[in-house]
Amino acid sequence: MKKQVLLIAAVFVGSFILLSMKVIKSNQQDPWDVPAKYEKMKNPYASASDEDQIGRILYAKHCKSCHGSKGKGDGTKAKSLDTPVGDFTDTSFKSQTDGSLYYKSFIGRDDMPSFIKKIPDEEEQWLVINYIKGL
């Protein structure tokens, strides 16, 4: 009888530990699976001058609430999301290809919505990428 109680207690405690590990929110995002097509995509507006600050304006409208004004992932909505918000100032972010950033920004996944319909103009999409790379 004592062995049975200990076994049940061990199973209960083990289950509780596994469940709590699943519930704890990690500060790291799961790796993105970016298709090769996007990974190799070139930014046709990489050297474009954004005199009208379109990239900054669109960032403020669509991205700032989660990613924050400086792109550190500390926007007003960031804490309410289930997925950790990316930090655009981090070196791991900066080392990504423009195509990879395009895929993540305009195709999206989980809490990161697709912006392809909200920002349908291709040049404006790339100006947002240019802006966030400069944060």
Side-chain angles (χ1 to χ4, degrees), residues 67-125:
H67 291 280
S69 59
K70 305 275 187 205
K72 293 190 172 284
D74 59 354
T76 56
K77 292 183 181 178
K79 289 184 180 179
S80 67
L81 301 175
D82 292 329
T83 306
V85 178
D87 179 351
F88 298 149
T89 65
D90 189 70
T91 54
S92 64
F93 171 82
K94 302 258 185 211
S95 67
Q96 297 177 61
T97 67
D98 287 4
S100 178
L101 299 176
Y102 179 90
Y103 177 82
K104 293 174 181 183
S105 300
F106 292 99
I107 304 303
R109 72 160 195 200
D110 300 330
D111 285 332
M112 178 62 203
S114 169
F115 283 101
I116 204 101
K117 289 183 180 176
K118 290 186 178 192
I119 307 173
D121 182 77
E122 180 187 15
E123 181 178 9
E124 290 180 354
Q125 293 168 357

Side-chain angles (χ1 to χ4, degrees), residues 24-93:
I24 294 173
K25 188 175 175 180
S26 168
N27 289 335
Q28 296 292 321
Q29 284 187 357
D30 290 334
W32 284 72
D33 185 21
V34 178
K37 162 185 160 179
Y38 288 96
E39 194 71 50
K40 296 175 185 173
M41 184 185 282
K42 299 293 179 202
N43 180 344
Y45 301 94
S47 60
S49 143
D50 189 3
E51 295 167 1
D52 295 331
Q53 297 189 3
I54 293 168
R56 181 188 63 77
I57 291 166
L58 291 171
Y59 176 88
K61 182 177 181 182
H62 298 290
C63 314
K64 181 179 171 182
S65 62
C66 294
H67 291 280
S69 59
K70 305 275 187 205
K72 293 190 172 284
D74 59 354
T76 56
K77 292 183 181 178
K79 289 184 180 179
S80 67
L81 301 175
D82 292 329
T83 306
V85 178
D87 179 351
F88 298 149
T89 65
D90 189 70
T91 54
S92 64
F93 171 82

Side-chain angles (χ1 to χ4, degrees), residues 5-37:
V5 170
L6 286 175
L7 180 63
I8 291 171
V11 168
F12 177 75
V13 169
S15 298
F16 178 76
I17 290 171
L18 287 173
L19 180 61
S20 65
M21 287 172 54
K22 190 78 169 162
V23 171
I24 294 173
K25 188 175 175 180
S26 168
N27 289 335
Q28 296 292 321
Q29 284 187 357
D30 290 334
W32 284 72
D33 185 21
V34 178
K37 162 185 160 179

